[in-house]
Amino acid sequence: MDLDLRKLRYFVVLAEELNFGRAAGRLHIAQPVLSRQIRALEDELHVRLFVRDKRSTELTAAGRQLLDDGKPLLAAAEALKRRVAQAARGTTTFSVGFMPGITVTDWVRAFGTQHPDVEVELVRTTWNNQVDVLRDGRVDVSIVRLPIDQRGLKVRPMFTEPRVAVLPADHRLAGKESIEIVDLAAEHLLNEPGAVPEWRDISVQLRDGTAPPARGYTSIEEKLEDVASGQGIAIIPKSTSEYYRRPDVTQVPVGDIGPNHVCLAWIAPRRSPLIHDFAEIVG
């Protein structure tokens, strides 16, 4: 049996929405059409993907597995189409994703010297999409900050750097030469808790169950706005805090948390000579 990527796309959207009406709206199809396509997919796979009643739609264990495996498959298909279209146009481009605070100029110049006929495109990424841009083909390589989902990726360490606490300028800890993570136990952390496991282990909010849902920031600028306005504090790499300095925010070193690890990542099965050459340049 060949898996129908259109049905898989319908499934992924429905799995994200868990509502047939909203999913059909996103897909620009009628709800009965979506229902028929999902039933057809279940028949083809010989499994039940959703449990549905009058009040809710939930994924089964098989559905959760298909979602985990299906999203990278769809992203790989999109990436394939982009690379084929590029080849058809007769152009050679090499796209590099990079996180805030990381300067890629020297590496890009060195790569351009080796490959003067290749057009290099730079894509600024965020915590939320630094891996997505690889999986959907927007970039060939991505300079990422760990932790990331490394499934299907080749990840090469580059360097580490210390992390700092970013606080409002009038915060009680502002001006300290250094603090410990326990000093932040009562603070509201704007990072995803999993990104700072040291804080997660001592957080008052997490212990008491009073932590509000984590906000999905699309840029470091948004996060710093919330820090400046007293909405919370953030733990970020030192280079990022220095690059985005502002007078209403201050940084304080945190002595007992691990460094941020910066790595070069790309899709593991790809064997492009350009990826190899760029990886050699960044070391």
Side-chain angles (χ1 to χ4, degrees):
M1 182 203 73
D2 294 327
L3 187 61
D4 186 331
L5 291 182
R6 183 185 58 170
K7 291 190 185 78
L8 181 60
R9 183 166 65 90
Y10 288 176
F11 162 79
V12 167
V13 172
L14 179 56
E16 291 173 344
E17 295 289 346
L18 291 177
N19 180 283
F20 276 80
R22 290 196 301 267
R26 274 181 58 184
L27 292 164
H28 306 291
I29 60 175
Q31 187 171 329
V33 173
L34 176 59
S35 297
R36 288 196 298 270
Q37 292 295 316
I38 295 300
R39 284 197 300 270
L41 180 60
E42 289 178 325
D43 290 343
E44 291 171 5
L45 295 175
H46 305 292
V47 296
R48 193 174 185 186
L49 300 171
F50 296 95
V51 177
R52 185 183 184 190
D53 58 30
K54 294 181 179 179
R55 292 180 299 177
S56 66
T57 299
E58 300 293 337
L59 283 165
T60 64
R64 289 191 295 271
Q65 186 64 56
L66 183 59
L67 181 62
D68 287 344
D69 293 339
K71 292 178 76 172
L73 182 60
L74 288 175
E78 287 298 315
L80 175 63
K81 288 194 292 185
R82 292 186 187 198
R83 290 194 292 269
V84 170
Q86 182 187 101
R89 292 193 300 268
T91 58
T92 301
T93 62
F94 187 76
S95 300
V96 180
F98 66 100
M99 286 286 285
I102 299 174
T103 302
V104 300
T105 306
D106 290 343
W107 301 320
V108 170
R109 284 179 174 171
F111 181 82
T113 299
Q114 284 190 15
H115 300 280
D117 56 335
V118 176
E119 179 183 349
V120 179
E121 297 177 347
L122 299 179
V123 177
R124 182 179 178 274
T125 60
T126 70
W127 282 105
N128 295 327
N129 72 359
Q130 58 178 334
V131 170
D132 293 343
V133 295
L134 283 170
R135 300 198 193 282
D136 65 18
R138 276 177 282 173
V139 302
D140 295 287
V141 297
S142 186
I143 300 172
V144 301
R145 295 189 183 276
L146 300 185
I148 61 170
D149 179 359
Q150 299 189 24
R151 289 178 297 177
L153 302 180
K154 176 71 174 178
V155 178
R156 175 178 292 191
M158 293 174 60
F159 60 89
T160 64
E161 62 170 309
R163 293 185 291 170
V164 297
V166 180
L167 317 167
D170 59 354
H171 192 276
R172 62 184 173 84
L173 297 174
K176 296 279 189 180
E177 290 188 7
S178 179
I179 60 175
E180 304 297 315
I181 193 66
V182 71
D183 296 324
L184 303 173
E187 302 290 339
H188 173 49
L189 186 72
L190 299 179
N191 304 70
E192 288 281 352
V196 192
E198 300 92 342
W199 177 86
R200 183 184 59 200
D201 293 339
I202 52 90
S203 166
V204 172
Q205 284 187 340
L206 292 181
R207 184 192 65 206
D208 296 344
T210 58
R215 177 182 168 186
Y217 291 97
T218 59
S219 70
I220 186 64
E221 291 90 344
E222 289 180 0
K223 186 175 289 185
L224 292 179
E225 283 292 334
D226 278 358
V227 171
S229 64
Q231 300 300 309
I233 62 101
I235 304 293
I236 65 176
K238 184 178 180 181
S239 65
T240 305
S241 70
E242 292 178 343
Y243 189 85
Y244 291 93
R245 280 189 179 274
R246 45 188 292 171
D248 50 1
V249 166
T250 189
Q251 60 166 285
V252 180
V254 185
D256 57 347
I257 63 173
N260 177 242
H261 294 261
V262 177
C263 300
L264 183 70
W266 64 92
I267 299 298
R270 295 197 61 194
R271 297 292 185 267
S272 165
L274 297 180
I275 291 177
H276 173 270
D277 289 350
F278 191 82
E280 289 300 307
I281 288 170
V282 304

